[in-house]
């Protein structure tokens, strides 16, 4: 079974530029999560989707971050404009809502904002 | 607010020297306590889920245990390949929008020397 796929793996941008990350969850997983992991810290939830609807975006900085999950499969996370403090690894995870509580993570995208 | 704290922040062991990692949690109604392993440049890899106090789970040299306030990850006779960051996360039994949300600790960096 293929795991969670993410791209790109690395991205370097200047502050105030925009950037987008893509995630393809495990086939059949209805729940999808985006996390931000700053160096030396644990992942922090940004947004949770159930199919193509947002379940929890309480910790998403909505003035600059946006996310969508069209057709309930792939998802895109966008930052516009980026700030220096957005430098982090952005992790996507998915879960089979009907079977288990376990979230499976992708390899992440490392973002550096200069 | 849900909180998860891990100790120590870093642990250096000699090969074969057994030890334990601690995870303290404050969650309104624990649904599950999760342990993940994270290697440099990779996403977290699922290890265990514990649901109730007294529960134990084992995998190779790792054993996870759970009490009402803490979880421990015991490492018996570790090998250099066990070197990684170990993350602990808790999910709450809150219904609706908080379901499935993981609150992570900051991780313990384990280094096992040959």
């Amino acid at each position: 079974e293929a795991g969670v796929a993410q791209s790109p793996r690395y991205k370097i941008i200047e502050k105030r530029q925009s950037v987008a990350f893509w995630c393809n969850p495990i086939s059949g997983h209805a729940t999808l999560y985006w996390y931000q992991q700053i160096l030396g810290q644990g992942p922090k939830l940004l947004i949770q989707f159930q199919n193509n609807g947002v379940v929890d975006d309480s910790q998403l900085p909505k003035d600059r971050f946006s996310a969508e999950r069209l057709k309930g499969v792939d998802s895109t996370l966008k930052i516009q404009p980026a700030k220096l403090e957005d430098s982090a690894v952005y992790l996507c995870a998915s879960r089979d809502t009907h079977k288990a509580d376990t979230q499976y993570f992708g390899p992440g995208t490392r973002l550096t904002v200069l | 607010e849900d909180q998860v704290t891990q100790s120590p922040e870093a642990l250096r062991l000699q090969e074969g020297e057994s030890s334990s990692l601690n995870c303290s949690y404050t969650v309104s109604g624990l649904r599950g306590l999760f342990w993940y392993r994270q290697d440099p440049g990779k996403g977290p890899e699922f290890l265990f889920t514990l649901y109730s106090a007294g529960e134990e789970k084992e995998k190779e040299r790792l054993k996870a245990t759970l009490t009402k306030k803490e979880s421990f990850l015991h490492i018996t006779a570790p090998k250099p390949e066990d070197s990684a960051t170990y993350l602990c996360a808790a999910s709450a039994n809150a219904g609706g929008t908080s379901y499935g949300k993981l609150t992570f600790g900051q991780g313990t960096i384990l280094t096992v020397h040959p």
Side-chain angles (χ1 to χ4, degrees):
Chain A
E1 180 182 72
V4 177
Q6 290 188 247
S7 68
R9 291 297 316 278
Y10 306 92
K11 191 74 178 179
I12 300 174
I13 62 173
E14 300 280 335
K15 60 182 179 182
R16 290 188 290 274
Q17 285 186 325
S18 63
V19 64
F21 313 126
W22 173 83
C23 172
N24 180 246
I26 293 172
S27 177
H29 283 197
T31 311
L32 184 147
Y33 308 82
W34 283 102
Y35 288 86
Q36 180 192 58
Q37 186 175 25
I38 293 171
L39 186 65
Q41 299 182 17
K44 184 186 83 170
L45 180 69
L46 292 174
I47 190 167
Q48 174 184 345
F49 290 93
Q50 179 71 18
N51 296 308
N52 60 347
V54 175
V55 173
D56 184 354
D57 63 357
S58 58
Q59 298 191 76
L60 187 74
K62 298 181 187 63
D63 58 335
R64 298 183 300 105
F65 285 65
S66 64
E68 61 181 9
R69 190 184 185 196
L70 301 176
K71 300 181 181 178
V73 181
D74 294 5
S75 177
T76 302
L77 177 69
K78 296 179 182 178
I79 308 175
Q80 181 181 9
K83 292 185 174 182
L84 296 177
E85 58 261 37
D86 298 332
S87 292
V89 175
Y90 291 85
L91 294 163
C92 179
S94 70
R95 180 171 68 93
D96 185 339
T97 317
H98 302 293
K99 281 190 177 179
D101 294 328
T102 303
Q103 296 182 24
Y104 295 92
F105 286 81
T109 297
R110 179 176 296 278
L111 173 67
T112 302
V113 182
L114 302 176
Chain B
E1 182 180 334
D2 298 339
Q3 280 193 316
V4 176
T5 303
Q6 293 186 244
S7 62
E9 291 186 5
L11 181 63
R12 298 165 68 96
L13 299 174
Q14 287 298 124
E15 185 171 3
E17 179 187 3
S18 302
S19 188
S20 296
L21 282 56
N22 175 265
C23 170
S24 298
Y25 62 90
T26 306
V27 174
S28 301
L30 181 73
R31 174 174 177 85
L33 190 292
F34 299 77
W35 283 97
Y36 285 85
R37 169 189 171 131
Q38 187 172 28
D39 292 298
K42 296 188 176 182
E45 175 189 348
F46 171 72
L47 292 173
F48 305 109
T49 309
L50 302 165
Y51 289 103
S52 56
E55 188 176 0
E56 298 182 353
K57 287 194 177 171
E58 289 188 63
K59 179 180 179 181
E60 296 181 355
R61 294 176 292 282
L62 301 177
K63 183 169 81 172
T65 61
L66 182 65
T67 72
K68 289 187 177 180
K69 293 183 179 181
E70 298 175 294
S71 178
F72 294 92
L73 185 65
H74 307 278
I75 304 175
T76 302
K79 297 182 177 181
E81 54 261 42
D82 294 323
S83 297
T85 296
Y86 290 85
L87 294 165
C88 166
S91 67
N93 247 332
T97 60
S98 294
Y99 183 79
K101 172 184 174 181
L102 291 181
T103 300
F104 279 87
Q106 79 280 18
T108 293
I109 302 170
L110 174 67
T111 306
V112 181
H113 295 283

